[in-house]
Amino acid sequence: MTARELDAAGITEPVLRDAYTHCRRLNARHGRTYFLATRLLPVERRPAVHALYGFARWADDIVDSLDTDAPAHRRAADLALLHERLERGLRDSHADTHAHTDVHDDGGGGGSVEPVVLALADTARRYAIDHRHFSDFMASMRSDLEVTDYPTYDDLRTYTHGSAAVIGLQMLPILGTVVPREEAAPHAAALGLAFQLTNFLRDVGEDLDRGRIYLPADLLGAHGVDRELLSWSRRTGHRDRRITEALRAFEDLTRGVYREAAPGLTMLDPVARPCIRTAFVLYGGILDAVARDGYAVLHRRAVVPRRRRAAVAVDGLVRLTAARTSARRAAARTPARAGARRTGPSAPDAPPAVGHELTTAGHAPAVGHAPAAHTASSGPLHEEVA
């Protein structure tokens, strides 16, 4: 399937194809829900989404490494090097890609190019993605090296603008819209935020192990909760009613952000809607799983049942088929005007070969700091449903 996606996207240069393939592997391996939803995109748009995921994953791994051989100063240096290469890659993305003979990191900051940077820079060029979104993302990643908690929700929103909202804004040119892009942008940003707040709630215990608390201190304090109480509960395995109430309040706040994001779904290119709707439903299902498990996120990971994931994927496939059938009929009726209002790429002629892969992509093994064993919430793109 990788070659088909790259061919459809017009990515022919071998070094670029390798870079995009590397990003796709990162997505399939670490971002199971995200990868599953991406399978519902038109085939030619998937490599770009893999590139966005791959870069965010790479940066997030640097920030959240639990390797004792990677102290804070080393992670800061690695992140600075990645940012330097990102800026250089974005500047040079118009250059001939055949000049990149080595896409692997040599560790010395020389002429080699990270595969994730090469793919990201190419995607930014192809879809004219605002470079400020990448700078804002890197600023939030740097913040994670120093900031361990947030006094208020407003403080948290400053962080999540760069770590999550800009991901939605990066995606928008790839997805395409049926309204002016600036009209859809606030909803896309809200959806990125909703996904990350969901991760924050699910990963309270794991983030606490890294010394971080992403739930605002004023929200916790309103229920009599502080870092000491959370640490006690995590350490002893004991529950506390005050913690449960605080977590429930954060769930309510998060669901409000989903409501802000929801109107944006119908603003997307119809053939992109099944992908985003699938992610919307699956991420919302994490909140349901947290509540169903009694808000025990300090002690275990909430799980969305596999049958539920499969059912949502099948529903997305049905919606995708209907959207593409409708698009073909509209094009046949008014070929000169087909897609005239869309601000993103047009739909392909045939649906992707999906089915078994859709219902099994979510069962890939969890490795690294993503899914089961090592999932932090600082970055926006993680394996979302264990």
Side-chain angles (χ1 to χ4, degrees):
M1 184 58 69
T2 304
R4 179 172 177 260
E5 292 174 352
L6 296 172
D7 292 343
I11 301 168
T12 58
E13 206 281 324
V15 174
L16 271 178
R17 288 173 73 92
D18 287 345
Y20 276 102
T21 299
H22 177 73
C23 292
R24 187 183 191 274
R25 291 195 189 106
L26 289 173
N27 196 347
R29 193 178 192 186
H30 296 288
R32 295 186 292 173
T33 298
Y34 203 78
F35 184 79
L36 175 63
T38 301
R39 298 289 303 133
L40 293 171
L41 275 179
V43 64
E44 77 279 4
R45 303 188 206 179
R46 296 180 207 163
V49 178
H50 297 322
L52 294 182
Y53 183 97
F55 181 82
R57 173 89 255 165
W58 198 263
D60 202 46
D61 279 342
I62 291 173
V63 170
D64 284 323
S65 173
L66 289 182
D67 188 347
T68 55
D69 294 329
H73 68 86
R74 172 62 184 275
R75 284 179 282 154
D78 289 345
L79 194 65
L81 179 59
L82 180 63
H83 193 188
E84 176 188 333
R85 288 177 170 167
L86 169 64
E87 291 183 331
R88 184 167 65 242
L90 292 172
R91 281 196 311 269
D92 298 342
S93 61
H94 63 279
D96 183 2
T97 55
H98 287 79
H100 300 300
T101 57
D102 179 10
V103 299
H104 297 288
D105 182 12
D106 62 6
S112 64
V113 180
E114 289 278 10
V116 294
V117 171
L118 187 59
L120 180 74
D122 184 67
T123 291
R125 178 185 60 79
R126 288 172 184 264
Y127 288 92
I129 300 173
D130 192 331
H131 292 183
R132 290 178 299 177
H133 298 329
F134 304 117
S135 296
D136 290 346
F137 173 77
M138 293 303 293
S140 284
M141 293 300 97
R142 289 193 299 273
S143 173
D144 260 327
L145 296 175
E146 301 174 355
V147 179
T148 59
D149 52 43
Y150 296 86
T152 69
Y153 183 54
D154 285 343
D155 294 319
L156 182 65
R157 286 291 293 262
T158 299
Y159 165 77
T160 56
H161 167 75
S163 64
V166 297
I167 301 298
L169 297 175
Q170 291 168 20
M171 285 282 292
L172 207 52
I174 300 168
L175 299 173
T177 61
V178 295
V179 300
R181 192 176 296 166
E182 59 270 19
E183 184 177 341
H187 303 290
L191 189 58
L193 173 61
F195 288 171
Q196 187 167 57
L197 295 180
T198 301
N199 286 344
F200 288 162
L201 180 61
R202 182 201 60 192
D203 298 336
V204 170
E206 295 166 26
D207 288 330
L208 190 62
D209 291 344
R210 296 174 179 82
R212 300 193 193 121
I213 299 176
Y214 289 102
L215 277 59
D218 58 351
L219 181 149
L220 294 174
H223 298 276
V225 178
D226 57 15
R227 180 183 288 267
E228 183 178 355
L229 183 61
L230 292 173
S231 297
W232 168 84
S233 180
R234 176 71 168 171
R235 183 177 64 254
T236 65
H238 293 310
R239 306 286 296 276
D240 188 287
R241 177 186 55 80
R242 294 169 293 177
I243 294 175
T244 299
E245 291 304 316
L247 296 175
R248 182 179 289 115
F250 193 77
E251 178 205 357
D252 291 342
L253 182 155
T254 302
R255 290 192 186 277
V257 180
Y258 276 97
R259 289 191 291 272
E260 293 177 28
L265 297 178
T266 58
M267 297 179 184
L268 298 174
D269 183 344
V271 295
R273 291 174 198 167
C275 165
I276 303 306
R277 183 185 181 277
T278 295
F280 186 97
V281 173
L282 287 174
Y283 268 92
I286 297 173
L287 296 179
D288 297 335
V290 168
R292 187 171 56 247
D293 197 34
Y295 303 92
V297 290
L298 277 166
H299 313 298
R300 57 182 175 268
R301 172 177 285 255
V303 176
V304 176
R306 290 184 176 184
R307 284 185 297 178
R308 173 60 176 161
R309 293 205 304 269
V312 172
V314 171
D315 177 71
L317 179 58
V318 171
R319 290 172 182 270
L320 174 63
T321 302
R324 294 189 173 187
T325 299
S326 177
R328 285 197 297 270
R329 288 174 178 169
R333 287 195 300 269
T334 56
R337 293 179 56 81
R341 292 185 61 204
R342 293 178 187 167
T343 62
S346 60
D349 292 333
V354 292
H356 176 72
E357 182 174 354
L358 267 177
T359 58
T360 59
H363 308 324
V367 294
H369 93 280
H374 181 183
T375 302
S377 295
S378 60
L381 304 177
H382 304 275
E383 181 280 331
E384 303 84 5
V385 185

